């Protein structure tokens, strides 16, 4: 009995329940994909009955019953089960609440992603092993063009162990794999910058990232998934909770049943009706009507606690590594995949090198024979048999046995003058290819670069935007998760606004806004981007990060925005670090961006070099340095630095060459000792930019002395070359220690820290004048919303 049990346990663990860490597939899944590829069921071909696929797989590779094979085939086709399905199913392949139709009623073929998993199988890239009866061969593992174990996850129960892995975003996983290829010593934190968390097929919201980090570090962890919902007016007098995405593997019927059960048992209050309006065109839409007098937020909180609208997911990353079950973290899974992919590319390159070397040997023999084709024909005619002809050809023309056999098998029409030209061209091409492959195989760096490039190509072909929002705690969205919000909303024009007090908001208005009255809390504008609700906007932070987000994640208003209320702080929306602030927002376009730092560095960035992920470093900062200004900077703009030592320097943006995101920039302005940059701007001289400077008095408490302010046209300041010292922008009086604030732009406006308006001097001052005494402290300078 002990022996039988161990054999059974071994079979379940290695041949049924656990995926291989290299291609992320269980044996039955691998055999289905391989057999469908052998049957020629490519994406461009027609569908065939699923029963036929099941029969082929069962008869040739997997003798475990048709129901198990069909269940696996169905899962490979379900977009709500896998983040990247491999089978294109035609017919009823089931839903979260209902099973699929019988295999005789459904049809299937492979998707392009499955072709990528099997690509190059005919080039000796993996080992083949005998099937169950030893009559056929099957791949021990698939070449796997992307890290499928992470992308699609896995679930299975073996004997004494189980696996449960969450799906992830293909683009994010490939970005992490490419980073690990380039930096083999990368840490978990480095990789989590690319893979912040799971990306579930059903979307939804993941709450709490502590368990995810544990899983990435140790292979075991847990997190909570939550439905995506909004509170809407569902009728003239009724408010409702509209659910558009559910937790992973939770169906609407199960949710409705639990809600009705809770209402019947009086555990859930405030709900009058639940309606499922889900259809194929609009997707999931579950409308939960709230009784009059009840708070929809309170009802939603009950639903999260008492129904599957919030569900848990336990991660247990168990997979086969070198034939042994192991619990893997994020770094381990990526390293196993990279090692596999490097081996695949190496074997493929060796195979191609061998084939091309063999072909070159034959081509050289043909060219040698063509030199005297008449003598070749005479030798063959004079021979008694094929063996004699082969021997004579080898002797007369100094050919190998392989070359002689090849010549004997050729048709005479191949030995024409035109064919000789073709052969010489083919010989030269083969020599070049052999040299290239030899160089590739002799260089580990070249192999890694090729694998990385191929992964990038897969990401560009099959990558999709993130669907799941990640919340670190109850409310704070994680960077990169916002881009998926609002995909069900109309893509309408809007204005995204960054205020001086650090608020981000969205307005449906796109024209000019009325100027707020003086002496009210109207705030000032730091930056404005006009776009659409589902378009991308970029935020540049003081720590040199570029964060891509969609305006739909922001609080909205119709008409002129109310800056004093109703806005979320930008760290809530973007998930900023402690002490990090948003310097500006910019449109995501091909126009270069300019960045200036506190220590006088300037950098123009080429947006075409931006990675696909939502959060990345746009400038490499030295310790203690931070970004003080940024904006779009086409060639016609002027770049302006203003320092605490009252120096102003401006020079054409075209004199700074655009760089990639990894560069550190170049010297922008020459600073004296203890001098720092107060502000940096990129301005168009067509907008009549003004320079505002406000002094700081060192003899008083910070923020207590209003100082002296001056407004001067930028045209009054002569331009100088980059990396020079600039010219004086403000004359300091006794007690002044330098500039506290500066602004360069059109129509300057000022306010206090709470947004209350402040007056600036009405008359322009001289370029190096001492300014006008202020009656109130100015904390922020910006512009008005035009």
């Amino acid at each position: 009995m002990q022996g039988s049990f161990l054999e059974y346990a071994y079979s379940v663990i290695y041949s049924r329940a656990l995926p291989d860490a290299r291609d992320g597939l269980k044996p039955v899944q691998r055999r289905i994909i391989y057999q469908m590829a052998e049957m020629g069921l490519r994406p461009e071909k027609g569908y065939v009955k699923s029963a036929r696929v099941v029969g082929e797989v069962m008869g040739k590779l997997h003798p475990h019953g048709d129901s198990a094979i069909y269940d696996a085939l169905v899962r490979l086709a379900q977009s709500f089960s896998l983040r990247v399905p491999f089978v294109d199913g035609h017919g009823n392949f089931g839903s979260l609440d209902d099973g699929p139709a019988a295999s005789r009623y459904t049809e299937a073929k492979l998707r392009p992603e499955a072709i990528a998993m099997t690509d190059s199988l005919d080039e000796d890239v993996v080992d083949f092993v005998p099937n169950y009866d030893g009559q056929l061969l099957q791949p021990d593992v698939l070449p796997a063009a992307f890290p499928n174990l992470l992308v699609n996850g896995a679930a299975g129960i073996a004997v004494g162990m189980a696996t449960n892995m969450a799906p992830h975003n293909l683009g994010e996983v490939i970005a992490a794999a490419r980073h690990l290829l380039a930096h083999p010593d990368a840490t978990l934190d480095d990789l989590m910058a690319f893979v912040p968390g799971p990306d579930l097929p059903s979307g939804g919201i993941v709450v709490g990232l502590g368990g995810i980090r544990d899983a990435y570090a140790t292979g075991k962890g847990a997190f909570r998934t939550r439905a995506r919902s909004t509170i809407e007016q569902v009728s003239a007098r009724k408010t409702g909770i509209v659910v558009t995405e559910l937790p992973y593997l939770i169906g609407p019927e199960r949710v409705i049943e639990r809600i009705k059960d809770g209402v019947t048992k009086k555990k859930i209050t405030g709900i009058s009706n639940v309606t499922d309006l889900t259809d194929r065109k609009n997707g999931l839409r579950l409308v939960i009507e709230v009784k009059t007098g009840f708070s929809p937020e309170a009802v939603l909180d009950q639903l999260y606690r008492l129904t599957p609208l919030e569900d848990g997911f336990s991660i247990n990353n168990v997979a086969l590594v070198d034939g042994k079950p192991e619990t893997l973290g994020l770094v381990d899974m990526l390293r196993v995949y990279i090692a596999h992919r490097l081996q695949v590319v190496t074997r493929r390159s060796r195979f191609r090198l061998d084939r091309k070397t063999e072909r070159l040997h034959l081509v050289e023999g043909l060219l040698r024979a063509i030199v005297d084709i008449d003598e070749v024909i005479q030798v063959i005619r004079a021979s008694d048999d094929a063996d004699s002809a082969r021997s004579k050809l080898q002797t007369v023309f100094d050919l190998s046995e392989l070359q002689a056999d090849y010549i004997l098998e050729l048709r005479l029409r191949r030995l024409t003058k035109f064919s000789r030209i073709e052969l010489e061209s083919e010989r030269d091409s083969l020599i070049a290819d052999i040299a290239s492959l030899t160089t590739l195989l002799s260089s580990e760096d070249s192999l890694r670069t090729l694998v990385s490039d191929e992964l990038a190509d897969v990401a560009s072909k099959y990558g999709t935007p993130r669907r799941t929002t990640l919340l670190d705690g109850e409310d704070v969205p994680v960077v990169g998760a916002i881009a998926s919000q609002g995909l069900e909303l109309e893509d309408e024009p809007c204005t995204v606004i960054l205020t001086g007090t650090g608020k981000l908001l969205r307005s449906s208005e796109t024209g000019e806004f009325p100027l707020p009255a003086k002496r009210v809390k109207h705030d000032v504008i730091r930056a404005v981007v006009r776009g659409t609700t589902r378009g991308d906007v970029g935020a540049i932070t003081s720590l040199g990060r570029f964060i891509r987000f969609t305006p739909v994640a922001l609080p909205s208003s119709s008409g002129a925005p109310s800056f004093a209320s109703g806005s979320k702080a930008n760290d809530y929306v973007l998930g900023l670090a402690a002490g990090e602030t948003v310097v500006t927002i910019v449109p995501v376009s091909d126009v270069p961006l300019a960045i200036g730092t506190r220590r006088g560095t300037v950098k123009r960035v080429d947006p075409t070099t931006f990675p696909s992920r939502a959060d990345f470093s746009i400038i490499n900062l030295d310790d203690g340095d931070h970004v003080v200004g940024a904006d779009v900077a086409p060639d016609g703009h002027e770049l302006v630095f203003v320092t605490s030592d009252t120096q102003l320097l401006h020079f054409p943006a075209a004199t700074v060459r655009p760089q990639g995101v990894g560069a550190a920039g170049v010297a922008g302005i020459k600073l004296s000792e203890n001098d720092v940059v107060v502000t940096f701007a990129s301005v168009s001289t067509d907008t009549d930019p003004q320079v505002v400077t406000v002094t700081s008095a060192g003899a008083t408490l910070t923020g207590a002395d209003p100082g002296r302010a001056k407004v001067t046209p930028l045209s009054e300041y002569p331009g100088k070359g980059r990396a020079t010292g600039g010219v004086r922008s403000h004359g300091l009086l006794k007690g002044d220690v330098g500039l506290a604030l500066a602004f360069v732009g059109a129509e300057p406006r000022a306010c206090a820290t709470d947004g209350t308006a402040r007056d600036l001097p009405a008359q322009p001052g001289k370029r190096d004048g001492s300014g006008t005494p202020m009656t109130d402290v100015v904390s922020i300078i910006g512009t008005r919303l035009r």
Side-chain angles (χ1 to χ4, degrees):
M1 185 173 180
Q2 181 182 11
S4 298
F5 179 80
L6 288 176
E7 288 182 10
Y8 165 73
Y10 182 90
S11 174
V12 172
I13 291 171
Y14 295 99
S15 302
R16 296 177 69 177
L18 297 184
D20 192 297
R22 294 170 292 178
D23 62 5
L25 297 172
K26 299 179 184 180
V28 63
Q29 295 171 327
R30 184 180 305 113
R31 290 163 183 169
I32 289 171
I33 293 173
Y34 170 69
Q35 190 59 43
M36 290 181 72
E38 288 293 291
M39 294 169 67
L41 303 182
R42 300 181 60 84
E44 65 272 14
K45 301 293 182 64
Y47 297 93
V48 302
K49 287 291 184 182
S50 300
R52 178 182 166 192
V53 175
V54 171
E56 288 282 321
V57 173
M58 181 173 60
K60 293 182 177 180
L61 304 175
H62 195 77
H64 294 290
D66 56 346
S67 61
I69 298 172
Y70 186 53
D71 287 345
L73 174 66
V74 166
R75 179 176 167 80
L76 289 173
Q78 290 175 335
S79 59
F80 54 83
S81 294
L82 300 185
R83 189 62 179 81
V84 178
F86 290 130
V87 173
D88 182 0
H90 182 64
N92 177 14
F93 274 77
S95 68
L96 288 168
D97 296 307
D98 297 306
S103 61
R104 62 183 178 275
Y105 297 122
T106 62
E107 298 176 329
K109 63 179 179 179
L110 291 177
R111 289 171 57 94
E113 295 87 343
I115 300 300
M117 291 290 289
T118 60
D119 190 39
S120 303
L121 265 179
D122 57 346
E123 294 184 289
D124 190 35
V125 291
V126 295
D127 293 333
F128 276 70
V129 296
N131 69 335
Y132 66 93
D133 60 3
Q135 296 187 21
L136 300 172
L137 293 177
Q138 59 182 337
D140 181 49
V141 66
L142 294 186
F146 58 88
N148 179 59
L149 185 67
L150 272 165
V151 172
N152 279 322
I157 300 175
V159 178
M161 62 188 69
T163 186
N164 199 35
M165 302 185 188
H168 290 76
N169 184 274
L170 183 142
E172 294 176 356
V173 171
I174 285 181
R178 295 185 69 200
H179 182 79
L180 191 58
L181 274 164
H183 306 88
D185 297 328
T187 64
L188 175 61
D189 289 334
D190 295 335
L191 298 183
M192 285 191 68
F194 300 93
V195 186
D199 186 24
L200 307 175
S202 57
I205 300 169
V206 168
V207 182
L209 302 186
I212 292 175
R213 181 178 174 80
D214 291 341
Y216 288 167
T218 66
K220 294 179 180 290
F223 60 87
R224 288 179 294 148
T225 58
R226 181 177 288 180
R228 191 184 302 279
S229 61
T230 56
I231 297 173
E232 301 178 10
Q233 199 72 26
V234 296
S235 66
R237 296 184 179 182
K238 287 282 187 181
T239 301
I241 300 167
V242 179
V243 179
T244 54
E245 293 176 6
L246 289 173
Y248 185 40
L249 301 181
I250 299 295
E253 289 186 13
R254 180 180 167 189
V255 173
I256 293 173
E257 181 182 352
R258 290 287 295 274
I259 292 175
K260 289 181 176 179
D261 184 60
V263 172
T264 301
K265 295 180 179 179
K266 298 184 179 180
K267 292 182 179 180
I268 301 175
T269 58
I271 294 177
S272 61
N273 191 25
V274 182
T275 307
D276 187 3
L277 301 180
T278 302
D279 58 36
R280 291 181 181 272
K281 181 179 180 181
N282 300 308
L284 177 71
R285 185 174 177 84
L286 200 62
V287 179
I288 305 168
E289 293 184 11
V290 179
K291 292 180 180 179
T292 305
F294 284 83
S295 167
E297 290 81 4
V299 172
L300 183 59
D301 183 65
Q302 290 184 80
L303 294 174
Y304 282 148
R305 288 187 291 106
L306 302 173
T307 72
L309 287 183
E310 182 170 295
D311 194 33
F313 189 97
S314 296
I315 298 176
N316 188 25
N317 296 332
V318 179
L320 297 176
V321 180
D322 295 330
K324 300 177 182 179
E326 292 186 14
T327 303
L328 306 172
L330 177 63
V331 179
D332 298 326
M333 286 188 280
L334 287 174
R335 282 180 175 159
V336 169
Y337 171 77
I338 287 173
H340 170 60
R341 195 61 194 168
L342 285 170
Q343 185 181 38
V344 166
V345 173
T346 300
R347 291 180 60 163
R348 184 186 67 194
S349 300
R350 286 174 180 164
F351 178 87
R352 292 176 178 178
L353 178 62
D354 291 343
R355 298 291 86 77
K356 289 182 182 296
T357 302
E358 292 171 4
R359 178 60 185 168
L360 178 63
H361 183 63
L362 297 178
V363 170
E364 288 175 340
L366 282 175
L367 287 172
R368 198 175 303 162
I370 287 175
V371 171
D372 195 348
I373 187 62
D374 294 333
E375 187 175 354
V376 170
I377 296 173
Q378 182 63 34
V379 167
I380 296 173
R381 291 186 62 186
S383 301
D384 296 331
D385 52 29
D387 291 339
S388 174
R390 182 189 307 111
S391 299
K392 289 181 180 179
L393 285 174
Q394 288 181 247
T395 303
V396 174
F397 295 100
D398 192 22
L399 300 175
S400 68
E401 183 177 347
L402 189 64
Q403 290 172 324
D405 282 336
Y406 187 67
I407 292 173
L408 286 173
E409 293 172 2
L410 281 178
R411 296 182 180 180
L412 288 176
R413 65 182 183 183
R414 292 286 307 277
L415 303 179
T416 62
K417 186 176 182 181
F418 179 74
S419 294
R420 178 176 181 177
I421 297 174
E422 286 183 341
L423 288 171
E424 289 176 344
S425 176
E426 184 181 0
R427 178 196 60 191
D428 295 340
S429 176
L430 287 169
I431 292 173
D433 290 344
I434 289 170
S436 176
L437 288 168
T438 303
T439 302
L440 175 66
L441 287 169
S442 63
S443 171
E444 178 74 14
D445 290 340
S446 298
L447 281 171
R448 286 180 170 270
T449 301
L450 179 58
V451 171
S452 180
D453 292 342
E454 290 181 353
L455 283 171
D457 184 55
V458 171
S460 66
K461 287 182 180 179
Y462 308 123
T464 55
R466 167 171 279 275
R467 299 175 187 174
T468 301
T469 301
L470 304 177
L471 297 183
D472 189 4
E474 290 294 323
D475 299 310
V476 183
V478 173
V479 171
I482 297 174
S484 63
Q485 294 187 11
L487 294 180
E488 302 298 328
L489 300 181
E490 293 294 330
D491 195 19
E492 299 173 343
C494 70
T495 299
V496 182
I497 303 160
L498 173 66
T499 73
T501 56
K503 297 174 181 177
L504 278 171
L505 65 158
R506 165 172 56 95
S507 174
S508 59
E509 295 293 327
T510 56
E512 291 198 0
F513 294 92
L515 185 64
K518 298 292 183 180
R519 296 295 169 187
V520 297
K521 289 187 179 181
H522 65 72
D523 210 336
V524 297
I525 302 303
R526 190 176 299 170
V528 173
V529 173
R530 303 188 190 274
T532 62
T533 53
R534 287 170 55 184
D536 282 347
V537 177
I540 299 175
T541 77
S542 57
L543 297 185
R545 293 165 63 201
F546 186 94
I547 304 171
R548 188 184 287 110
F549 66 95
T550 54
V552 75
L554 304 175
S556 63
S557 64
S558 58
S562 173
F563 299 138
S565 63
S567 302
K568 296 181 180 179
N570 54 44
D571 60 344
Y572 179 90
V573 177
L574 301 176
L576 303 183
E580 185 178 19
T581 60
V582 174
V583 174
T584 191
I585 56 174
V586 294
V588 178
S589 66
D590 294 334
V591 180
L593 304 177
I595 301 169
T597 75
R598 187 172 184 266
R599 293 183 177 175
T601 299
V602 66
K603 179 182 179 181
R604 280 180 88 204
V605 191
D606 181 4
T608 61
T609 66
F610 285 2
S612 59
R613 62 184 185 276
D615 175 20
F616 55 88
S617 176
I618 196 173
I619 182 172
N620 188 9
L621 295 172
D622 293 333
D623 291 341
D625 202 3
H626 65 257
V627 176
V628 295
D631 206 343
V632 294
D635 286 348
H637 274 213
E638 287 283 305
L639 304 184
V640 188
F641 282 95
V642 182
T643 75
S644 61
D645 202 23
T646 77
Q647 298 302 300
L648 183 148
L649 173 67
H650 70 91
F651 49 87
T655 61
V656 182
R657 180 179 60 85
Q659 299 175 298
V661 294
V666 296
I669 184 171
K670 185 177 180 181
L671 300 176
S672 60
E673 188 176 359
N674 299 324
D675 191 18
V676 295
V677 174
V678 176
T679 193
F680 169 81
S682 170
V683 297
S684 170
T685 54
D686 296 337
T687 61
D688 189 25
Q690 304 292 307
V691 178
V692 182
T693 51
V694 181
T695 63
S696 172
T700 60
L701 294 173
T702 302
D705 191 321
R708 306 172 68 86
K710 180 171 66 70
V711 181
T712 311
L714 179 63
S715 58
E716 296 292 323
Y717 296 85
K720 296 180 69 176
R722 179 181 64 79
T724 59
V727 298
R728 188 168 63 178
S729 64
H730 201 117
L732 299 180
L733 300 180
K734 185 178 180 180
D736 292 337
V737 296
L739 295 183
L741 291 173
F743 169 84
V744 183
E747 302 185 63
R749 296 290 184 270
C751 69
T753 54
D754 64 355
T756 303
R758 294 286 189 255
D759 291 326
L760 291 172
Q763 298 298 323
K766 293 183 179 180
R767 174 177 68 82
D768 56 353
S770 58
T772 304
M774 299 293 290
T775 57
D776 297 306
V777 174
V778 172
S779 303
I780 304 166
I781 305 175
T783 187
R784 78 176 183 90
L785 189 59
R786 294 178 296 280

